[in-house]
Amino acid sequence: MMKPPIRYLAIGDSLTVGVGGSIFSTGFIGPYATVTTDTLRIPVQTHLLAKSGRTSGELYSALKTLPTQWLTTCSLVTITAGSNDMLRAARTYMITKDEKVLKEALSQIIHQLKKMITFLYSFQPTHPPLIRIANLYNPWPHDNVFNTWVVACNSALLSLETPRIAVADVYAQFEGNIPHYLSFDDLHPNDAGYRAMAYAFYKEGYEGLKTQ
């Protein structure tokens, strides 16, 4: 008898949408669902809550509109959030040269992610889903100031880790591979970049995953 599927909720911005991938690409979602099925021998049912351009706060607002059915039954969650917060802050910084905007963006990302986690856990308090949060890669590695803040954000993300919450190290996967992993827009991943993201999520494992 086939096991009931793992209900996988993918929350995010353009990275979860898969912007930059080829026409038939499913971003990192498809490869991650496939490797999860291959590893656990359990089918995966995926639901995307994703839209390009969303900041961490906008993602939290969107999460609150998700049908309760998914909030009470998902057992695996990935989150890509923060890139737009940092990009918007970076554009302001380029004009003002005031690093305070980058610091405020970092603080907002962590604050909104904590709210997302609390919200998700409130629906399954006794056995909450496994949550995998992607850290940020830097599409402009030669911009030392922006890189400093991306590294600072990734360091702050580690404060969210628990036995059921892990930060997928996308930054490490992309470091040194930016020319090979970015699409024509020099911002979003290409297919190879999305496969690298899927691997970063996969590396965090499935210990404690709730199955039916």
Side-chain angles (χ1 to χ4, degrees):
M1 181 180 295
M2 182 176 289
K3 296 179 180 178
I6 294 165
R7 291 170 71 84
Y8 163 37
L9 174 60
I11 303 167
D13 45 29
S14 57
L15 297 178
T16 296
V17 172
V19 172
S22 62
I23 190 168
F24 296 113
S25 169
T26 53
F28 72 82
I29 302 296
Y32 182 54
T34 296
V35 75
T36 299
T37 294
D38 290 346
T39 300
L40 302 178
R41 301 298 177 188
I42 303 173
V44 173
Q45 183 180 5
T46 304
H47 183 80
L48 264 65
L49 182 69
K51 187 175 181 180
S52 296
R54 279 181 174 162
T55 62
S56 56
E58 290 165 344
L59 284 171
Y60 173 62
S61 296
L63 178 59
K64 292 192 292 182
T65 71
L66 191 69
T68 303
Q69 177 190 9
W70 269 93
L71 293 166
T72 55
T73 60
C74 64
S75 57
L76 182 62
V77 177
T78 59
I79 302 175
T80 64
S83 296
N84 291 305
D85 302 70
M86 292 301 289
L87 288 172
R88 291 184 189 185
R91 292 186 183 110
T92 301
Y93 168 76
M94 289 174 188
I95 298 169
T96 65
K97 301 303 179 184
D98 182 0
E99 290 190 38
K100 183 172 70 175
V101 296
L102 294 165
K103 183 178 181 180
E104 289 172 350
L106 187 159
S107 177
Q108 185 66 202
I109 292 165
I110 301 302
H111 176 63
Q112 296 296 337
L113 282 168
K114 285 180 177 178
K115 288 165 62 176
M116 287 185 224
I117 291 166
T118 299
F119 184 75
L120 286 165
Y121 274 30
S122 70
F123 288 87
Q124 302 184 63
T126 57
H127 201 139
L130 294 186
I131 298 178
R132 295 342 191 189
I133 302 168
N135 69 6
L136 306 184
Y137 65 88
N138 181 11
W140 311 309
H142 301 298
D143 186 323
N144 292 331
V145 172
F146 189 64
N147 193 65
T148 296
W149 283 100
V150 167
V151 170
C153 184
N154 290 344
S155 178
L157 286 173
L158 294 175
S159 68
L160 302 175
E161 289 198 317
T162 70
R164 303 193 66 75
I165 301 170
V167 175
D169 198 355
V170 174
Y171 182 94
Q173 293 294 317
F174 276 62
E175 192 173 23
N177 291 302
I178 288 294
H180 309 292
Y181 284 175
L182 292 189
S183 68
F184 60 89
D185 66 3
D186 291 326
L187 183 63
H188 294 94
N190 56 22
D191 290 356
Y194 279 120
R195 287 193 294 271
M197 286 187 68
Y199 181 68
F201 282 119
Y202 165 73
K203 281 183 68 177
E204 297 307 322
Y206 304 95
E207 185 175 353
L209 180 73
K210 179 177 64 177
T211 56
Q212 299 298 325

